[in-house]
Amino acid sequence: MSKIERVEVFVASPGRTFVTLRITTDDGVTGLGDATLNGRELAVASYLRDHLVPLLIGKDPARIEDMWQYLYRGAYWRRGPVTMTAIAAVDTALWDIKGKTAGLPVYQLLGGHSRDGVLVYSHASGTDVPSLLDDVQRYLELGYKAVRAQAAVPDVGGTYGVRKGKVYEPAATELPDEQPWDTEAYLGFAPTYLEAVRERFGFGFHLLHDVHHRLTPIEAARFGKSVEACRLFWMEDPTPAENQEAFRLIRQHTTTPIAVGEVMNSIWDVQHLITEQLIDYVRTTVVHAGGITHLRRIFDLAALYQVRTGSHGATDLSPVSMAAAVHLDISVPNFGIQEHMGHPDEAAEVFRTGVTFADGMLHPSEEPGLGVEYDEKAAERFPYQQRYLPVARRLDGSVHDW
Ligand code: CS2
Ligand code: MG
């Protein structure tokens, strides 16, 4: 039996901050895990370094399920984004090691190919409708079969999702940027630009939109109804999902499909959304929902209720968890779509990934394990930079969901 001999936690900012866990066994096999929690990275790094690393040394890396139960049930204080991201990083690294030890890519350990490729969507955005339409055109020309569309609401400063640089990066300031929000302005404007996209490009591709937790249930019902003619692939996070009941009201009013889950980190957070079919896609991820081991459970529950997967894949999910996501996506029966926002150029100097993009789909590496390498020497060139996600405030100055 091999043993875990070394566990390293790297915090670096190649274009943006990533927290990466590397486990090394006594026979020299390494595994990687993503432990990035945007805006709260150091909390997870400390949870790993100060609380989990002492527990991992000497353990059998092959006992992935036992390790998951040990770290989850053994913590006493359960769930939450920090705990589940730390557990996720360990779990993902152990699956990487298991694949390398077996000489198989991780997807082969999960049941092999269920499809030829992993349909992905990217992100078109604009400061106004013309620039949004140009951006949609760009992604369609790049071969994407699915595009998310977001545009700035006129006269409302920081609408969610409008890219500034090469990739959309919301965590951009040393203290939270306080951005104004006006629900009425959004409800009046967003349907017009989604209609404009359909008018210009037709219905030959999937169109997605992220409401980003901004509406009340009845406002979300109104929004969903107002865009039914746009035939969205989904409206995402229409209302905050702590209250899973809230989605019953939305469901009563609109057939626009609903996607929820990127901020959820356990099966219990999405249990009723799935079992009562209040959503159509579940967006939980390898990195924030307890790793491959737990995410498989969520996806299997979803499959029983015809809920499909639609995992989050923004810039703050590192190439490690994106590779793990593609290994899961290619194999699960109820796959829906995978978000693929890409990473800053500097990230490629630190992470080497075997994931490939072709014809609107991602493909996992055929290398044993996840097919990702981390260059800690290169990472030293990108010291940690603390950045915060924005905070939204209504026009009266009160805090709103960002
Ligand atoms: C968004 C993200 O990609 C998405 O669907 O919700 O951009 C999200 O805002 C960031 O990942 C937060 O870190
Ligand atoms: Mg989102």
Side-chain angles (χ1 to χ4, degrees):
M1 173 195 103
S2 75
K3 287 183 182 168
I4 293 174
E5 183 173 78
R6 190 166 66 252
V7 182
E8 301 156 289
V9 179
F10 303 103
V11 182
S13 300
R16 70 157 342 276
T17 297
F18 296 110
V19 181
T20 305
L21 176 79
R22 183 166 66 194
I23 294 178
T24 304
T25 68
D26 55 359
D27 38 30
V29 182
T30 59
L32 293 176
D34 183 6
T36 307
L37 185 64
N38 204 2
R40 295 296 185 272
E41 297 87 355
L42 298 186
V44 183
S46 167
Y47 193 105
L48 287 165
R49 282 184 182 132
D50 302 324
H51 298 294
L52 293 198
V53 168
L55 308 183
L56 300 179
I57 303 299
K59 289 287 192 312
D60 179 356
R63 297 183 63 178
I64 297 178
E65 184 64 61
D66 180 67
M67 179 67 81
W68 198 95
Q69 298 297 328
Y70 176 71
L71 296 180
Y72 180 79
R73 297 179 188 286
Y76 193 73
W77 312 108
R78 298 177 177 183
R79 296 162 69 183
V82 173
T83 299
M84 298 306 281
T85 299
I87 293 174
V90 175
D91 184 79
T92 307
L94 295 183
W95 277 101
D96 194 10
I97 289 168
K98 191 172 278 289
K100 289 178 180 177
T101 306
L104 290 170
V106 167
Y107 78 84
Q108 292 289 16
L109 305 178
L110 301 173
H113 278 97
S114 296
R115 55 192 54 78
D116 299 333
V118 170
L119 174 68
V120 292
Y121 72 92
S122 201
H123 296 62
S125 66
T127 51
D128 55 23
V129 177
S131 58
L132 169 64
L133 294 177
D134 290 347
D135 216 30
V136 171
Q137 172 131 18
R138 185 167 78 88
Y139 281 108
L140 293 176
E141 287 169 355
L142 285 170
Y144 283 91
K145 307 283 189 275
V147 180
R148 186 185 84 170
Q150 311 285 144
V153 177
D155 309 323
V156 177
T159 309
Y160 162 72
V162 180
R163 189 179 68 246
K164 292 190 177 79
K166 180 176 176 263
V167 289
Y168 173 59
E169 179 48 73
T173 51
E174 292 181 15
L175 286 173
D177 176 28
E178 300 207 350
Q179 299 178 352
W181 174 253
D182 179 348
T183 295
E184 274 311 312
Y186 166 80
L187 286 174
F189 180 61
T192 66
Y193 68 73
L194 294 169
E195 286 156 12
V197 171
R198 284 305 195 198
E199 265 158 43
R200 170 83 167 272
F201 302 105
F203 290 83
F205 68 101
H206 298 305
L207 178 60
L208 302 88
H209 180 69
D210 191 348
V211 182
H212 214 263
H213 323 276
R214 303 292 171 94
L215 302 178
T216 64
I218 198 65
E219 291 166 347
R222 176 178 149 198
F223 175 80
K225 222 171 146 105
S226 72
V227 296
E228 283 180 357
C230 299
R231 299 206 313 251
L232 294 187
F233 186 85
W234 75 37
M235 64 175 169
E236 178 182 333
D237 288 327
T239 194
E242 288 91 334
N243 173 16
Q244 298 181 44
E245 281 294 309
F247 289 76
R248 206 180 306 287
L249 178 64
I250 304 171
R251 272 312 212 212
Q252 285 163 1
H253 292 277
T254 180
T255 57
T256 295
I258 298 173
V260 173
E262 70 180 57
V263 297
M264 302 308 181
N265 43 76
S266 80
I267 199 165
W268 292 274
D269 297 341
V270 291
Q271 179 184 0
H272 301 299
L273 292 173
I274 290 172
T275 58
E276 295 172 42
Q277 294 178 308
L278 299 177
I279 60 174
D280 302 278
Y281 298 90
V282 60
R283 283 182 48 75
T284 38
T285 65
V286 167
V287 56
H288 298 131
I292 291 171
T293 298
H294 195 57
L295 193 58
R296 289 173 93 188
R297 295 212 151 87
I298 294 172
F299 287 174
D300 285 346
L301 175 67
L304 296 180
Y305 295 89
Q306 300 187 73
V307 173
R308 284 176 284 178
T309 72
S311 288
H312 186 208
T315 49
D316 44 292
L317 282 73
S318 93
V320 176
S321 55
M322 285 307 293
V326 176
H327 282 287
L328 254 178
D329 292 337
I330 201 92
S331 60
V332 294
N334 55 322
F335 171 74
I337 201 167
Q338 171 66 50
E339 181 175 3
H340 176 231
M341 207 185 261
H343 296 108
D345 291 340
E346 298 88 331
E349 297 182 44
V350 175
F351 296 91
R352 196 276 305 162
T353 177
V355 172
T356 55
F357 174 81
D359 194 27
M361 297 194 287
L362 290 181
H363 302 273
S365 163
E366 289 300 328
E367 301 161 73
L370 294 176
V372 186
E373 285 165 355
Y374 184 84
D375 182 342
E376 74 270 23
K377 283 279 166 270
E380 287 169 8
R381 299 202 312 271
F382 303 100
Y384 171 59
Q385 292 181 328
Q386 183 155 36
R387 294 289 181 272
Y388 283 87
L389 283 169
V391 168
R393 286 190 180 272
R394 301 182 188 95
L395 301 185
D396 70 358
S398 55
V399 175
H400 193 68
D401 297 285
W402 175 74

